[in-house]
Amino acid sequence: MSATQMQREGAQAAALPPLTNGPHRKRLGLVALVATFGGLLFGYDTGVINGALRPMTADLGLTPLTEGIVTSSLLFGAAAGAVGGGRLSDSWGRRKSILLLAVLFLAGTIACVFAPNFEVMVLGRVVLGLAVGGASTVVPVFLAELAPYEIRGSLAGRNELMIVIGQLAAFVVNAIIGNVWGEFGGVWRLMLAVAALPAIALFFGMLRMPESPRWLISKGRWEEALVVLKTIRSVERAEAEMADVKHLADEERVSKATSWGALKDKWILRIILVGIGLGVAQQLTGINSIMYYGQSVLVEAGFDSNAALIANIAPGVIAVVGGVIALTLMQRVNRRTTLLLGFTLTTACHFLIGIASVLLPIGNEARPFVILFLVVAFVGSMQTFLNIAVWVMLSEIFPLHVRGFAIGLSVFCLWIANALLGLFFPTLVAGVGITGTFFLFGGVGIAALIFIYTQVPETRGRTLEALEEDVTTGAIYLVHKKDAAARP
């Protein structure tokens, strides 16, 4: 750590009273739990297509092209929802935005469950996509703005953990329903219908949750913000944080532009480009291709359809285990270190999957199990070192006055990359097989490592206000370079 950073963090620690246990910590945990039902829905609605697509294809008469459209329509909707949700949360508030998202989750689920044809299914998936995209921007920001800086990584990271729990739940529900009632028509409708339950829980839960105190301060609602802070902090800590955030908000109100106008500032533009790069790099690992088409990949590897449904649970389980480990890493390991290690491991897994596919041709008894093991290793590496770290960084690197807009723009690009992969992944596998597909992912992983090493700043262990000061002056990009130069 550089001397300058140590001085800043020392002053920061002296200015704020230490965290204490008490009812306020339990209240903070409850707020985080309710908000992350948005992440649970995100995970379930993106993961359920994995097992629902094959029976849906038979019932609705889908072609390979329309299969890709059904899968990717949610993702393109999510891209629009990410931008719209970010902008809406800046103007309307984080809490109200999440309530609206809960309504969209429920409406989209109902439309998909009762869809009589391809066209209505796509419409319902687009509505779900708007909700998923909005949740992917608003919930992480809401959690980051509520969290004390000392535990911000683990608290904001809970949303990504809930996403993978939602995906695992989708895989388990798909396996149970598919194997027990698979011979009946419309079994995919039952798989989709389960998502209505967490949508209802999110709506009624958020009715009793507070607004983000940092958003309230940005709107000049000081007294309301202090009341909220005192419910999730000790009184002394709440008052100290209030003073810090209020001072920064006053400065921003005088001198800072919001939304597109902020891009005229070269440092704001640079940090938004870093955010876009992080989001796109995460998606180009191909993680969500495994989450959406895992059953198809495992069938390609050599499993039959029912066995693939069951085997598909393994990546879901390891994703949750990796997510739990990642929450502890957020408080102990620097973000840059975590990202570099994660991309190294996932890139190695990509090349190993490609090599295994070459050395173990179709028909070899070991092929499906070796590829399953490597896919599980890839998902475990991704969830342990990359997914939570990326989402936490996106929630904390942007200044308050553009936070909703900036994360919305970054996640919009993330979802576009996700959607294009979702649309073309079946065609890619059909054209170049597992071998070529994963070699391509490996090549992208090498480029991502170069990007992370040269462009991504460190953010761990600092308040959002301290990070904002360094982002707006460009000092944040010098921290890891100074640290590297100081090493013997």
Side-chain angles (χ1 to χ4, degrees):
M1 181 180 295
S2 68
T4 302
Q5 188 182 9
M6 289 177 67
Q7 289 171 359
R8 284 191 180 125
E9 293 188 7
Q12 180 176 290
L16 294 176
L19 292 180
T20 57
N21 292 319
H24 55 277
R25 289 292 292 272
K26 294 180 181 179
R27 174 66 172 169
L28 179 62
L30 177 62
V31 175
L33 176 63
V34 171
T36 54
F37 270 95
L40 183 73
L41 284 158
F42 174 160
Y44 191 91
D45 285 320
T46 54
V48 70
I49 196 68
N50 194 320
L53 188 58
R54 281 177 171 260
M56 183 192 300
T57 296
D59 281 2
L60 299 184
L62 303 181
T63 66
L65 175 62
T66 53
E67 279 184 32
I69 293 173
V70 166
T71 300
S72 62
S73 57
L74 182 146
L75 310 178
F76 284 110
V83 173
R87 297 290 296 274
L88 182 65
S89 73
D90 275 347
S91 60
W92 206 31
R94 320 304 191 201
R95 175 180 171 272
K96 288 182 180 179
S97 298
I98 295 173
L99 283 168
L100 174 61
L101 294 174
V103 173
L104 289 177
F105 273 121
L106 185 59
T109 296
I110 292 171
C112 289
V113 168
F114 294 102
N117 52 40
F118 163 73
E119 291 78 11
V120 176
M121 173 58 66
V122 170
L123 177 63
R125 294 277 291 173
V126 169
V127 173
L128 280 176
L130 292 172
V132 166
S136 69
T137 58
V138 181
V139 175
V141 166
F142 181 66
L143 294 175
E145 291 182 345
L146 285 169
Y149 79 90
E150 297 94 333
I151 59 170
R152 186 177 63 241
S154 62
L155 193 75
R158 291 182 192 181
N159 189 58
E160 177 61 27
L161 178 61
M162 287 292 272
I163 291 172
V164 295
I165 289 174
Q167 289 175 330
L168 174 60
F171 300 159
V172 172
V173 167
N174 287 348
I176 293 172
I177 293 177
N179 280 277
V180 174
W181 295 291
E183 70 274 15
F184 298 104
V187 67
W188 54 273
R189 298 183 191 273
L190 296 177
M191 297 174 178
L192 301 179
V194 175
L197 299 177
I200 293 169
L202 176 64
F203 180 82
F204 286 103
M206 284 303 298
L207 288 175
R208 301 178 62 84
M209 296 300 107
E211 182 54 87
S212 159
R214 284 180 166 85
W215 181 84
L216 291 169
I217 290 171
S218 74
K219 299 300 179 183
R221 295 159 64 176
W222 322 114
E223 293 182 3
E224 292 176 64
L226 184 58
V227 168
V228 172
L229 273 173
K230 286 181 177 178
T231 66
I232 55 176
R233 305 281 197 280
S234 65
V235 174
E236 296 80 9
R237 176 69 179 243
E239 292 173 347
E241 284 194 28
M242 180 78 178
D244 279 356
V245 183
K246 184 178 183 298
H247 174 71
L248 193 62
D250 286 341
E251 289 183 348
E252 287 177 348
R253 191 170 289 107
V254 173
S255 60
K256 299 290 194 303
T258 59
S259 300
W260 294 106
L263 299 181
K264 296 177 182 178
D265 184 318
K266 66 177 182 179
W267 299 120
I268 298 296
L269 175 60
R270 180 169 175 177
I271 202 66
I272 289 177
L273 290 175
V274 167
I276 290 171
L278 278 172
V280 172
Q282 181 211 38
Q283 289 306 305
L284 293 184
T285 61
I287 181 61
N288 281 317
S289 298
I290 297 297
M291 293 304 178
Y292 307 149
Y293 296 108
Q295 184 186 11
S296 298
V297 169
L298 294 176
V299 168
E300 171 79 9
F303 288 100
D304 64 40
S305 292
N306 283 342
L309 264 181
I310 297 171
N312 199 44
I313 294 175
V317 171
I318 201 65
V320 174
V321 172
V324 172
I325 296 171
L327 289 185
T328 64
L329 293 179
M330 286 295 95
Q331 300 312 119
R332 293 176 171 84
V333 182
N334 283 348
R335 311 281 197 253
R336 278 172 49 82
T337 303
T338 303
L339 291 171
L340 289 169
L341 179 58
F343 274 107
T344 299
L345 291 173
T346 56
T347 301
C349 288
H350 288 146
F351 284 117
L352 288 172
I353 291 171
I355 291 168
S357 183
V358 171
L359 297 180
L360 301 172
I362 295 175
N364 187 302
E365 293 182 358
R367 174 185 169 93
F369 299 99
V370 170
I371 290 179
L372 174 62
F373 172 80
L374 291 172
V375 167
V376 168
F378 161 63
V379 172
S381 300
M382 185 76 192
Q383 298 297 349
T384 303
F385 298 105
L386 288 186
N387 272 359
I388 286 181
V390 167
W391 285 106
V392 168
M393 288 199 75
L394 289 177
S395 73
E396 65 189 7
I397 60 175
F398 302 120
L400 177 62
H401 66 288
V402 293
R403 187 167 293 143
F405 165 76
I407 192 174
L409 185 58
S410 300
V411 177
F412 168 81
C413 295
L414 178 155
W415 281 112
I416 288 294
N418 190 345
L420 291 174
L421 276 177
L423 180 60
F424 294 114
F425 185 79
T427 304
L428 186 62
V429 172
V432 299
I434 290 178
T435 305
T437 299
F438 280 91
F439 279 146
L440 284 173
F441 286 150
V444 172
I446 293 173
L449 278 167
I450 296 171
F451 168 75
I452 299 294
Y453 185 77
T454 59
Q455 300 299 322
V456 175
E458 184 55 61
T459 58
R460 186 175 72 93
R462 309 171 70 195
T463 67
L464 293 178
E465 289 66 49
L467 285 171
E468 177 162 345
E469 181 181 350
D470 280 0
V471 165
T472 52
T473 62
I476 195 169
Y477 302 106
L478 303 176
V479 171
H480 69 270
K481 293 179 181 179
K482 289 178 180 178
D483 291 347
R487 295 190 191 105

